[in-house]
Amino acid sequence: MIIRELYRQHFKPEFLKLAGALSIFMFLFINSGYTQSIGYYTGAACTFNTLTEIANGCTSPNYFTIQYNMASGTYPAGWTLEVKANGDFSNGSTTIPAQYVSLAFNTANGGPGGVTGTGYQVLNTAQSVSLINTSEQLKTPPTYYFEHKLNMKVQGGNHLKVETGTYSTTLTVILRSKQGNVIATNSNVQASFVVNFTNSCQGVTLNSYSSNQNSFTTYAEQMAGATVTDALSVQYAPNGATCDGWRLDVRASGNFTNGAQSVAPQYFSLRFNRVSTGTPTASQIGVDNTPVVLNNTDVILINGSNAPFGANVFTEHKFDMIIQGGNHLLVPNGTYTGTLIFSLYNSNNVLISTTTVSVSFLVNTVNSSLTLELQNSANEIDLVFNTLESYANGVSVTKARGMRVVGYQPYQVMIKTSGLNLIGTDNSTIPVAAVNVQTTKYTSSSGGISTFTRALSTVDQIIVTNPMVDNTQQVIEYNLRYYTAPNDSRLSGKTGIFNTTVLFVIIPQ
């Protein structure tokens, strides 16, 4: 009231008008010193605590509140808000690509109307993307301050199966005019989400043991092979880990050996049988019962489990061992032992734990009353074709007393080859049937014994039958003659050294 009185008493109306005009001018001058700026604050971040959340992803509504502080100016409709990722999301040691995160306009708080969102836009580290369309101008005054709310969505999937931690990056937010000019920008907008679910499998330990050793007691069993049910057990102690996507591998450290004798690991397979204790189940894991052939390098037994371990739940898996039958088992009697190494890897192919186990099988097929010996250099046969007459007449090599058998019960001797062909140095072939083997008794005093001539084959063929009529038949020596037929076309045009292996097998009758 006092001031008003002073004005009325001491100032003329014309001066009051001028003073009023001056005060308005000063206000505009002060505002014109303001700069356009963008601020922000964030809401609750996406947090991934379970495997389900990892798979499904997460949306954080109104995660960003973008604040616009405007100086005077007028910008026609078509102005927009753009955003660009300055880098991928990282917790310092592990990175998740920005392409798995997208933003979308939600609502406006103040400011001009006519703002609509462009939908979820995937973050890009190379260029900015527009989040809004506008149909009204942005004018200051009257709009000096307003806000936009933005949703942030993190796509679910294996890319989230990473180390635990807060994954962060910075964004550049740009308010851009219709003409493409930058009105305001902020290049340090912090964005983050949290992964609490660990997929590292750290803390899981393995153990293993073997059981149910197989024994081959007959030639027929050696040829048929065997399946040893529950031959091996692998035990998992997850402790606190609940990772999924883990993988179980196995490798053989070498051959199955008995002194100097050995059988290669590729004749053995492991087959998942069952989950005998603990979780997850076989169906939850996604494992089947397909046999896996052993090798000297890692082969996969369980590939990328579809389910995690139960935290602190002891688990055991049973595996069958399949032993392939065949000539490789025609080895001297004894126990053949191999070492297998099981390895657990997490979903990022990081080795977590290993365990080593010995597994063995027994060969005891040749009766102690039967022995067969190749003697007088009969263990190596050379058929030489070096003249035209060799092809025309055939070639013959005889090993007198080449085979010696000691037996105290009736027996048969069989012969076969390891392959269908003799293999040349240049990988050309000759069928093994091009070579014949004739067996005869060295002495004629042993009655009742039958001998035969056979063309070589991979099939078992009897070359001696001894019914053991009397004790004169207990120690017998046999002649072995290898020969080819005259003018055999299978040998025509062949040059080089050709090889195969001939197996002699004695079995009791």
Side-chain angles (χ1 to χ4, degrees):
M1 292 297 295
I2 295 174
I3 294 174
R4 291 178 182 175
E5 283 295 325
L6 288 173
Y7 271 85
R8 280 196 291 269
Q9 294 175 11
H10 298 286
F11 298 97
K12 293 181 180 180
E14 292 79 9
F15 182 77
L16 287 174
K17 291 179 182 179
L18 178 62
L22 180 62
S23 67
I24 293 172
F25 172 78
M26 291 300 294
F27 176 79
L28 292 175
F29 176 78
I30 293 171
N31 270 284
S32 67
Y34 289 173
T35 58
Q36 278 84 249
S37 65
I38 295 178
Y40 78 98
Y41 63 89
T42 59
C46 283
T47 301
F48 299 92
N49 296 309
T50 67
L51 180 62
T52 300
E53 292 172 347
I54 291 285
N56 294 338
C58 169
T59 298
S60 178
N62 297 330
Y63 176 71
F64 283 115
T65 299
I66 305 298
Q67 302 169 310
Y68 304 91
N69 295 280
M70 306 299 298
S72 61
T74 300
Y75 305 97
W79 57 274
T80 188
L81 172 66
E82 297 179 358
V83 64
K84 180 175 79 72
N86 298 327
D88 293 325
F89 288 78
S90 171
N91 72 344
S93 60
T94 306
T95 298
I96 298 175
Q99 69 191 46
Y100 294 111
V101 178
S102 55
L103 299 181
F105 172 80
N106 190 340
T107 58
N109 181 15
V115 177
T116 57
T118 58
Y120 279 97
Q121 300 294 319
V122 175
L123 289 179
N124 194 315
T125 58
Q127 60 186 18
S128 58
V129 293
S130 179
L131 298 181
I132 61 173
N133 294 316
T134 58
S135 59
E136 295 185 12
Q137 67 177 2
L138 171 59
K139 184 177 182 181
T140 304
T143 304
Y144 294 104
Y145 174 88
F146 62 98
E147 296 177 340
H148 284 166
K149 304 283 187 179
L150 307 179
N151 300 340
M152 186 170 82
K153 180 165 65 176
V154 182
Q155 180 181 329
N158 290 335
H159 52 276
L160 295 178
K161 296 177 181 178
V162 290
E163 296 179 3
T164 59
T166 299
Y167 287 77
S168 303
T169 192
T170 61
L171 309 179
T172 295
V173 176
I174 304 169
L175 181 63
R176 194 182 296 274
S177 70
K178 178 181 180 180
Q179 292 77 20
N181 299 319
V182 175
I183 303 172
T185 186
N186 187 336
S187 60
N188 194 35
V189 176
Q190 303 288 321
S192 64
F193 56 88
V194 181
V195 177
N196 287 331
F197 176 82
T198 175
N199 212 43
S200 68
C201 284
Q202 295 298 326
V204 182
T205 58
L206 293 182
N207 187 36
S208 57
Y209 64 93
S210 62
S211 55
N212 303 333
Q213 180 191 67
N214 189 76
S215 180
F216 294 99
T217 60
T218 68
Y219 174 74
E221 290 175 351
Q222 288 174 295
M223 293 299 100
T227 296
V228 186
T229 304
D230 290 352
L232 292 163
S233 299
V234 177
Q235 299 172 324
Y236 309 80
N239 299 305
T242 57
C243 56
D244 85 319
W246 49 268
R247 187 181 87 237
L248 182 68
D249 289 5
V250 66
R251 72 178 184 274
S253 64
N255 293 340
F256 288 74
T257 60
N258 174 31
Q261 304 295 321
S262 65
V263 180
Q266 63 261 28
Y267 297 112
F268 301 82
S269 301
L270 294 186
R271 181 177 65 196
F272 180 87
N273 185 311
R274 58 198 168 95
V275 178
S276 59
T277 303
T279 60
T281 66
S283 60
Q284 289 170 335
I285 293 171
V287 64
D288 59 29
N289 303 109
T290 303
V292 176
V293 179
L294 294 179
N295 205 326
N296 292 321
T297 57
D298 274 355
V299 292
I300 299 173
L301 289 175
I302 298 176
N303 189 16
S305 171
N306 295 328
F309 293 114
N312 300 305
V313 177
F314 173 82
T315 299
E316 182 176 89
H317 293 168
K318 298 288 189 181
F319 291 88
D320 303 333
M321 185 170 75
I322 302 171
I323 306 174
Q324 180 181 331
N327 298 335
H328 51 274
L329 295 180
L330 299 179
V331 288
N333 286 354
T335 299
Y336 289 76
T337 302
T339 299
L340 303 184
I341 302 169
F342 292 92
S343 299
L344 178 70
Y345 292 86
N346 67 16
S347 61
N348 291 326
N349 202 35
V350 175
L351 177 64
I352 302 303
S353 183
T354 63
T355 180
T356 301
V357 61
S358 293
V359 60
S360 59
F361 65 94
L362 177 66
V363 175
N364 188 27
T365 58
V366 179
N367 192 290
S368 60
S369 63
L370 293 172
T371 59
L372 183 152
E373 177 187 3
L374 294 177
Q375 59 185 15
N376 297 330
S377 70
N379 60 327
E380 185 171 341
I381 307 298
D382 293 326
L383 297 172
V384 180
F385 296 81
N386 53 10
T387 66
L388 291 177
E389 289 77 12
S390 300
Y391 292 97
N393 301 324
V395 173
S396 176
V397 172
T398 299
K399 297 293 183 178
R401 301 165 59 197
M403 181 174 68
R404 182 174 185 267
V405 177
V406 178
Y408 301 96
Q409 68 180 101
Y411 64 83
Q412 289 180 328
V413 177
M414 296 184 295
I415 192 172
K416 63 180 176 179
T417 59
S418 59
L420 293 171
N421 299 297
L422 293 100
I423 307 299
T425 51
D426 61 352
N427 290 325
S428 58
T429 61
I430 296 174
V432 293
V435 179
N436 303 284
V437 179
Q438 181 185 39
T439 309
T440 57
K441 293 177 292 183
Y442 178 66
T443 62
S444 60
S445 59
S446 301
I449 297 176
S450 300
T451 58
F452 304 90
T453 299
R454 306 294 187 188
L456 289 181
S457 169
T458 56
V459 178
D460 289 327
Q461 298 184 93
I462 298 171
I463 58 170
V464 173
T465 298
N466 186 345
M468 203 65 66
V469 175
D470 56 57
N471 57 9
T472 63
Q473 299 174 347
Q474 292 175 351
V475 180
I476 303 295
E477 291 180 314
Y478 299 91
N479 302 319
L480 298 174
R481 175 178 173 250
Y482 294 82
Y483 66 95
T484 63
N487 298 310
D488 191 334
S489 60
R490 292 172 292 186
L491 304 175
S492 177
K494 304 290 186 179
T495 59
I497 299 174
F498 294 78
N499 293 282
T500 192
T501 299
V502 182
L503 304 172
F504 292 80
V505 181
I506 185 169
I507 60 173
Q509 284 188 289

